[in-house]
C-alpha cells in the first residue's frame, strides 16, 4: 500500500519523475456525476503529466471511505463533507480535504417518489422510508433540511434505508422504499424510466450551491507526502475546469458509470465543479451539521483543509 511505503520513507523506485514521495496512489471513487473530473484526469493523462499513477476503488459513500483511509487501503477518497467533518470531530479520522469535487446545482439532488405515490408534499414523509446512499451524510442532511420546515422530523435510523445509487430505481419500483434521494445521473434516469415525480429540489433554498463532496486523505498521509498530494491537486484543478464543458462530462460518464446510456448523460442535470478549496464555502456544511445535531459543537473547517500547491509554493 502506498501509505505503508510512505510510512517507511518510501524507496527510490517508488519516486516519480517529478520527485514525488509516491508515484502510485489508490483513490476511492463513486460511479456518479460528481466524479467525472477524476475520470477525466485519468483518461486525459493529467495525473500522468504530474508523474502520478492513480488506481481507483469504487465505494458507496463517504462513510465507507473513512475506515479505508484510516486503514491505508485508500490514499485519497471522494466523499461527502458531512461524513468527513463528522469523522474529524469524533476522532474516527484525522482528515485533510485536498480538493473539492462537487457542489449542488438546481435539481442536481432531488427527492423522488413513484408517479402513483400518495405522497404529495414533504409533510407526507412522516413515518416513510427514504433511500439514501449512506446514512448520516449529506444525503440525509439535505432531506432533513427540506422536511423540517414542513413540520417533519426525520430519524436517521427509522426513516432512511441505505441503497447504492444504481439500485434506487429498483427499490422505488418495488415499493421497498417510499422515496429516494437521487444523485445524478440516477435522478434523471429514474424519472425517465419510471416517470417518478420530484417531491423536492434539495439543491434550492438554504442548500442552494451547497458544497456536497470533496477528496480527502488522512492528516498523516498529507504530512508525509506533500508533493504527491500537490500533484493530485494540480491535476484535479485542471480536470474540474474541463468539467465546466457539459459535453466533456456527458461523453465520459457512460464510460465509467454502469447502466448510464448516452441519452441519460445528455439530459442529466450537472452538478457544480469548484476549482479551488474555499474554507468559507465549506464552513456552510459545518454550520448546518450543527443545526441538525449531527455534531454537538462548532467545527472550524480551516484546519481540515490541506494547503493548495500555490499556497505551499
Amino acid at each position: 500500500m502506498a501509505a505503508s511505503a510512505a510510512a517507511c520513507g518510501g524507496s527510490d523506485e517508488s519516486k516519480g519523475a517529478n520527485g514525488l514521495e509516491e508515484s502510485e496512489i489508490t483513490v476511492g471513487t463513486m460511479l456518479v456525476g460528481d466524479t467525472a473530473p477524476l475520470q477525466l484526469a485519468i483518461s486525459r493523462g493529467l495525473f500522468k503529466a504530474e508523474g502520478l499513477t492513480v488506481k481507483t476503488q469504487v465505494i458507496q459513500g463517504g462513510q465507507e471511505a473513512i475506515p479505508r483511509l484510516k486503514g491505508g487501503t485508500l490514499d485519497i477518497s471522494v466523499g461527502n463533507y458531512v461524513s468527513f467533518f463528522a469523522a474529524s470531530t469524533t476522532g474516527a479520522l484525522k482528515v485533510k480535504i485536498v480538493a473539492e469535487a462537487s457542489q449542488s446545482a438546481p435539481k442536481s439532488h432531488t427527492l423522488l417518489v413513484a408517479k402513483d405515490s400518495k405522497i404529495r408534499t414533504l409533510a407526507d414523509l412522516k413515518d416513510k422510508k427514504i433511500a439514501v446512499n449512506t446514512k448520516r451524510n449529506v444525503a440525509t442532511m439535505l432531506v432533513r433540511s427540506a422536511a423540517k420546515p414542513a413540520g417533519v422530523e426525520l430519524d436517521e435510523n427509522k426513516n432512511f434505508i441505505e441503497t447504492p445509487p444504481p439500485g434506487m430505481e429498483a427499490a422505488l419500483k418495488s415499493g421497498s422504499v417510499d422515496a429516494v434521494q437521487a444523485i445524478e445521473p440516477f435522478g434523471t434516469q429514474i424519472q425517465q424510466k419510471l416517470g417518478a415525480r420530484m417531491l423536492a429540489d434539495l439543491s434550492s433554498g438554504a442548500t442552494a450551491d451547497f458544497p456536497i463532496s470533496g477528496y480527502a486523505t488522512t492528516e498523516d498521509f498529507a504530512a508525509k507526502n506533500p508533493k504527491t498530494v500537490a500533484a493530485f491537486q494540480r491535476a484535479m484543478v485542471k480536470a474540474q475546469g474541463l468539467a465546466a464543458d457539459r459535453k466533456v462530462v456527458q461523453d465520459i460518464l457512460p464510460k465509467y458509470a454502469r447502466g448510464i446510456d448516452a441519452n441519460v448523460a445528455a439530459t442529466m442535470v450537472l452538478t457544480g465543479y469548484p476549482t479551488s478549496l474555499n474554507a468559507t464555502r465549506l464552513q456552510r456544511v459545518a454550520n448546518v451539521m450543527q443545526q441538525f445535531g449531527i455534531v454537538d459543537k462548532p467545527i472550524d473547517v480551516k484546519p481540515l483543509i490541506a494547503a493548495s500547491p500555490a499556497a505551499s509554493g
Side-chain angles (χ1 to χ4, degrees):
M1 290 180 295
S4 298
C8 301
S11 64
D12 290 340
E13 290 78 11
S14 72
K15 292 182 182 295
N18 294 354
L20 307 184
E21 299 87 2
E22 295 294 336
S23 61
E24 182 177 299
I25 61 172
T26 302
V27 178
T29 188
M30 295 177 65
L31 305 181
V32 295
D34 291 23
T35 58
L38 178 70
Q39 299 296 329
L40 286 169
I42 294 171
S43 67
R44 298 202 176 191
L46 301 182
F47 290 125
K48 287 291 187 183
E50 296 289 345
L52 194 60
T53 296
V54 169
K55 294 185 176 182
T56 60
Q57 286 185 13
V58 176
I59 61 170
Q60 189 166 320
Q63 285 288 74
E64 184 180 347
I66 291 163
R68 292 197 189 190
L69 286 168
K70 190 171 184 178
T73 57
L74 292 178
D75 299 308
I76 295 173
S77 182
V78 74
N80 71 91
Y81 292 119
V82 174
S83 293
F84 286 145
F85 293 165
S88 73
T89 63
T90 62
L93 185 72
K94 292 183 177 179
V95 68
K96 282 289 185 181
I97 307 296
V98 300
E100 289 213 54
S102 70
Q103 68 180 37
S104 68
K107 299 182 181 179
S108 63
H109 294 75
T110 55
L111 188 63
L112 303 177
V113 296
K115 62 181 178 181
D116 57 353
S117 173
K118 294 181 180 179
I119 300 173
R120 294 292 171 180
T121 69
L122 290 166
D124 298 328
L125 287 176
K126 185 179 180 181
D127 300 324
K128 296 299 189 291
K129 300 295 184 184
I130 304 165
V132 293
N133 66 322
T134 57
K135 297 178 183 179
R136 296 175 179 81
N137 74 347
V138 72
T140 59
M141 192 172 76
L142 288 174
V143 177
R144 291 174 66 190
S145 177
K148 189 170 183 178
V152 178
E153 293 284 353
L154 297 171
D155 182 89
E156 290 281 343
N157 294 315
K158 294 178 181 178
N159 295 109
F160 295 105
I161 305 296
E162 291 189 342
T163 308
M168 289 190 179
E169 179 186 332
L172 192 62
K173 185 176 182 179
S174 69
S176 60
V177 298
D178 302 293
V180 298
Q181 194 285 298
I183 305 170
E184 285 297 291
F186 299 102
T188 295
Q189 183 180 47
I190 293 168
Q191 290 178 79
Q192 289 181 356
K193 290 191 174 183
L194 301 184
R197 287 188 289 108
M198 186 177 71
L199 189 67
D201 176 6
L202 303 177
S203 306
S204 61
T207 51
D209 301 319
F210 197 73
I212 300 294
S213 60
Y215 293 88
T217 188
T218 64
E219 189 177 87
D220 185 60
F221 186 87
K224 292 178 178 177
N225 302 279
K227 294 180 181 178
T228 301
V229 169
F232 179 85
Q233 290 176 312
R234 286 191 295 268
M236 285 304 302
V237 166
K238 294 174 184 175
Q240 295 278 114
L242 290 174
D245 183 340
R246 180 187 179 91
K247 191 174 187 309
V248 169
V249 176
Q250 71 184 50
D251 286 350
I252 198 168
L253 193 70
K255 297 178 181 178
Y256 71 89
R258 63 180 182 272
I260 300 303
D261 60 26
N263 181 57
V264 171
T267 55
M268 66 177 277
V269 177
L270 291 187
T271 187
Y273 299 107
T275 56
S276 62
L277 280 170
N278 185 294
T280 301
R281 184 165 59 236
L282 297 190
Q283 189 64 47
R284 288 181 63 195
V285 181
N287 294 346
V288 176
M289 288 173 66
Q290 187 181 9
Q291 177 186 345
F292 283 93
I294 296 173
V295 292
D296 57 11
K297 59 183 179 181
I299 301 174
D300 180 6
V301 304
K302 289 181 181 178
L304 306 181
I305 298 176
S308 66
S312 60

